[in-house]
């Protein structure tokens, strides 16, 4: 795969350096058959160092997961070799099944079929709380 | 009309809704006959997945005094949860039998799950160490009746301020009103957690003082809210034995208190308020129990009215 020229796919740019791998895991990109490239510590004029992920396939990615791991990133959507959309991702209000509640007294610890829902409590400090027990996400 | 459907936490209620509930409770106290048949033919399900006899009896008495009926269970062993049924399914099933549900559950968030799956109103009757909104409403009704309102009060909280959820919840509810001053009286080991100080008191701009001395601010208090200091909260028995007597309210400690101080306690008490104080007109903790029944009556009425179950 030529990482500079994607025909149909997604480029997640301006990921804070060091968070690229975490994002790769949470997005489940390790389970894909298509070419995926992670570029670590690329030089960025704005941020010094950044990570970039390129996915060479027309598959949907979760903006909530991206926003949670790396708010303020840019997601470039490419179709037919052309950049068709440039999205700035904000911190999501709600996270559904992105992270798990670790409070052993939480109802989600005993009822396996419940979705793990977290709500943004403090956007400045990026604090999320479990919708069921209000425990802070780590 | 408001659209209150369930009650999971006191923070779900607006200041107006709290006032409305208090007004209804006061009217019930003044004219009980007017309410004696309001819930005729309606059923309250008390789903208690862990025992809490006092809270359950309060809900049941409330429903009976509204002319309604009660069904339910008082511990998980006698429920279908013992066979592994989920909270969601229990809520769906019980919705077929009852008009309103009061749920107590050891797991935090269980009543919210029930509310999301129930077709009838759900009241959280306590979910582990998380929320216990009807206790807070009982406290608020007591304060409203004893003090005539919530503004410009100096409230002392004494005892276990670290784990006491009723304390956190009441502080949060009172911090919405003007002129609140809070005196936090506890041993070092049981101080109010910093998240409560930062997220509630500081955010609301409430003036607060922390002290380890029960008598220091006594003359300034309008309300003294006592809680139990439990032995199991201490790392060693020596510390517990050294400290426990410092947080027991005795008549001599009330010498410098205001004549119209209200002494409150969520009960059950062990020994943190000496029984001699029961005769003192400033003791309000048994009134709190009674108010708990009246505010639950007001809440049941309001939720059934919002649901269109009663007129
Ligand atoms: Zn949780």
């Amino acid at each position: 795969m030529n990482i500079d020229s994607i025909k149909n796919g997604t480029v997640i740019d301006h990921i804070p350096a060091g968070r690229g791998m975490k994002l790769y895991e949470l997005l489940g990109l390790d389970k894909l058959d298509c070419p995926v490239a992670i570029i670590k510590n690329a030089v960025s004029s704005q941020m010094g160092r950044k990570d970039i992920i390129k996915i060479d396939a027309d598959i949907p990615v979760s903006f909530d997961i991206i926003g949670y791991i790396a708010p303020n990133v840019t997601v470039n959507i490419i179709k037919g070799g052309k950049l068709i959309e440039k999205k700035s991702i904000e911190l999501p209000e709600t996270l559904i099944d992105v992270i798990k509640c670790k409070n052993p007294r939480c109802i989600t610890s005993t009822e396996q079929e419940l979705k793990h829902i977290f709500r943004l409590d403090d956007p400045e400090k990026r604090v999320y709380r479990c919708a069921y027990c209000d425990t802070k996400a780590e | 009309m408001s659209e209150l459907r369930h009650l999971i936490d006191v923070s779900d209620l607006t200041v107006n809704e709290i006032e409305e509930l208090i007004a209804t409770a006061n009217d019930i106290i003044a004219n009980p006959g007017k309410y004696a048949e309001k819930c005729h033919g309606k059923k309250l399900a008390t789903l208690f997945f862990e025992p809490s006899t006092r809270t359950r009896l309060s809900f049941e008495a409330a429903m009976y005094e509204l002319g309604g009926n009660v069904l339910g269970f008082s511990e998980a062993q006698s429920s279908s949860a013992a066979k592994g049924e989920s909270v969601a399914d229990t809520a769906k099933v019980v919705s077929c039998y009852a008009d309103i549900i009061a749920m107590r559950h050891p797991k935090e968030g269980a009543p919210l799950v029930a509310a999301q799956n129930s077709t009838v109103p759900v009241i959280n009757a306590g979910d582990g160490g998380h929320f216990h909104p009807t206790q807070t409403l009982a406290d608020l009704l007591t304060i409203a009746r004893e003090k005539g309102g919530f503004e410009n009060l100096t409230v002392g909280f004494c005892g276990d301020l670290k784990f006491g959820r009723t304390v956190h919840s009441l502080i949060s509810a009172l911090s919405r009103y003007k002129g609140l001053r809070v005196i936090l009286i506890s041993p070092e080991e049981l101080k109010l957690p910093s998240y409560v100080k930062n997220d509630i008191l500081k955010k609301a701009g409430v003036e607060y003082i922390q002290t380890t001395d029960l008598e220091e601010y006594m003359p300034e208090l309008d309300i003294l809210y006592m809680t139990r200091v439990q032995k199991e909260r201490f790392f060693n028995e020596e510390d517990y034995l050294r400290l426990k007597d410092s947080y027991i309210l005795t008549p001599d400690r009330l010498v410098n208190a205001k004549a119209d101080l209200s002494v409150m306690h969520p009960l059950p008490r062990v020994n943190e308020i000496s029984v001699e104080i029961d005769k003192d007109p400033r003791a309000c903790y048994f009134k709190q129990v009674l108010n708990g029944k009246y505010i639950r009556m007001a809440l049941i009425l309001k939720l059934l009215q919002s649901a269109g179950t009663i007129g």
Side-chain angles (χ1 to χ4, degrees):
Chain A
M1 158 183 172
N2 180 346
I3 55 169
D4 288 327
S5 59
I6 283 178
K7 281 239 163 53
N8 295 298
T10 307
V11 178
I12 309 166
D13 200 356
H14 300 112
I15 304 166
R19 295 218 192 126
M21 272 313 287
K22 179 89 187 150
L23 187 54
Y24 174 84
E25 280 164 29
L26 272 177
L27 285 172
L29 300 179
D30 52 333
K31 294 173 193 86
L32 294 180
D33 293 334
C34 66
V36 177
I38 305 180
I39 298 153
K40 290 171 77 174
N41 300 319
V43 178
S44 159
S45 52
Q46 295 166 29
M47 36 203 304
R49 299 272 167 188
K50 65 177 182 181
D51 291 356
I52 307 167
I53 294 177
K54 298 188 177 195
I55 307 161
D56 197 3
D58 191 5
I59 54 131
V61 289
S62 162
F63 294 142
D64 285 352
I65 294 176
I66 297 171
Y68 173 62
I69 293 296
N72 310 320
V73 302
T74 323
V75 175
N76 301 299
I77 299 174
I78 294 151
K79 288 215 164 112
K82 280 191 186 130
L83 178 65
I84 61 150
E85 204 184 344
K86 210 176 171 78
K87 267 176 116 66
S88 331
I89 305 294
E90 281 164 18
L91 213 51
E93 282 294 321
T94 310
L95 298 173
I96 298 175
D97 282 340
V98 175
I99 42 174
K100 283 196 176 303
C101 182
K102 290 186 178 140
N103 174 8
R105 296 175 310 276
C106 181
I107 186 68
T108 56
S109 71
T110 41
E111 303 223 338
Q112 310 301 330
E113 78 283 5
L114 287 173
K115 286 186 156 62
H116 285 246
I117 303 171
F118 280 79
R119 298 230 159 79
L120 184 58
D121 183 49
D122 185 341
E124 259 168 52
K125 292 181 186 152
R126 294 180 58 203
V127 174
Y128 283 88
R129 287 184 188 277
C130 173
Y132 302 98
C133 71
D134 295 289
T135 298
K136 244 188 225 183
E138 280 157 25
Chain B
M1 284 300 286
S2 72
E3 289 171 22
L4 185 66
R5 292 186 54 233
H6 307 283
L7 182 67
I8 303 304
D9 178 28
V10 175
S11 65
D12 299 342
L13 297 168
T14 63
V15 167
N16 282 342
E17 283 169 330
I18 288 175
E19 257 162 45
E20 213 181 299
L21 287 171
I22 287 173
T24 306
N26 279 327
D27 196 48
I28 294 170
I29 295 167
N31 311 291
K34 198 171 127 189
Y35 294 89
E37 292 297 320
K38 283 268 185 195
C39 290
H40 179 78
K42 305 302 172 202
K43 283 167 282 179
L44 164 75
T46 49
L47 310 184
F48 277 54
F49 291 87
E50 67 175 1
S52 172
T53 308
R54 285 174 330 106
T55 304
R56 188 170 53 84
L57 292 183
S58 181
F59 270 105
E60 296 186 355
M63 193 57 172
Y64 285 127
E65 286 192 31
L66 290 166
N69 290 303
V70 175
L71 63 160
F73 51 84
S74 56
E75 53 182 335
Q77 280 72 20
S78 54
S79 80
S80 44
K83 295 181 196 132
E85 186 176 63
S86 68
V87 169
D89 281 2
T90 302
K92 285 175 190 163
V93 168
V94 174
S95 296
C96 301
Y97 302 134
D99 300 287
I100 185 164
I101 294 169
M103 178 184 277
R104 175 96 168 195
H105 201 288
K107 290 286 178 178
E108 300 173 11
L112 178 66
V113 174
Q116 288 164 345
N117 290 280
S118 165
T119 54
V120 300
V122 174
I123 301 170
N124 181 0
D127 57 339
H130 190 215
F131 297 139
H132 191 7
T134 56
Q135 174 67 54
T136 306
L137 287 174
D139 296 344
L140 290 174
L141 175 60
T142 304
I143 294 170
R145 289 180 67 79
E146 298 300 317
K147 299 291 159 214
F150 303 114
E151 289 186 1
N152 304 314
L153 293 175
T154 298
V155 185
F157 290 93
C158 175
D160 179 358
L161 308 187
K162 188 174 181 183
F163 300 98
R165 64 176 170 183
T166 53
V167 168
H168 305 170
S169 181
L170 185 56
I171 286 177
S172 166
L174 288 175
S175 66
R176 296 174 176 186
Y177 299 92
K178 268 187 283 182
L180 176 69
R181 267 181 88 220
V182 171
I183 315 293
L184 304 164
I185 309 151
S186 74
E188 283 297 326
E189 292 86 340
L190 298 175
K191 270 163 64 175
L192 193 73
S194 56
Y195 73 86
V196 182
K197 279 181 262 177
N198 294 330
D199 294 356
I200 300 171
L201 292 172
K202 283 184 187 157
K203 215 178 238 179
V206 173
E207 184 193 333
Y208 69 90
I209 296 165
Q210 296 192 91
T211 174
T212 54
D213 184 349
L214 175 54
E215 281 160 276
E216 192 180 0
Y217 292 92
M218 190 66 84
E220 297 175 33
L221 301 181
D222 298 305
I223 293 165
L224 175 58
Y225 197 99
M226 297 293 297
T227 62
R228 194 145 53 102
V229 174
Q230 286 167 283
K231 197 172 168 177
E232 54 269 30
R233 302 299 192 201
F234 288 86
F235 288 117
N236 61 67
E237 188 149 350
E238 281 160 47
D239 284 344
Y240 170 73
L241 292 173
R242 179 171 52 82
L243 288 163
K244 70 175 171 97
D245 293 342
S246 319
Y247 302 96
I248 292 178
L249 190 63
T250 50
D252 53 298
R253 286 196 161 123
L254 279 180
V255 168
N256 294 317
K258 286 185 182 175
D260 67 345
L261 169 75
S262 300
V263 177
M264 297 175 65
H265 190 297
L267 303 185
R269 89 175 136 178
V270 177
N271 62 349
E272 55 279 5
I273 301 178
S274 75
V275 287
E276 295 143 280
I277 292 184
D278 296 359
K279 299 186 291 278
D280 192 305
R282 290 171 288 192
C284 288
Y285 29 95
F286 292 112
K287 288 186 200 169
Q288 254 171 292
V289 177
L290 196 55
N291 289 332
K293 180 187 69 181
Y294 290 123
I295 203 74
R296 288 179 178 100
M297 288 171 76
L299 180 64
I300 290 168
L301 278 178
K302 178 159 175 73
L303 289 170
L304 287 178
Q305 278 162 355
S306 298
T309 311
I310 59 171

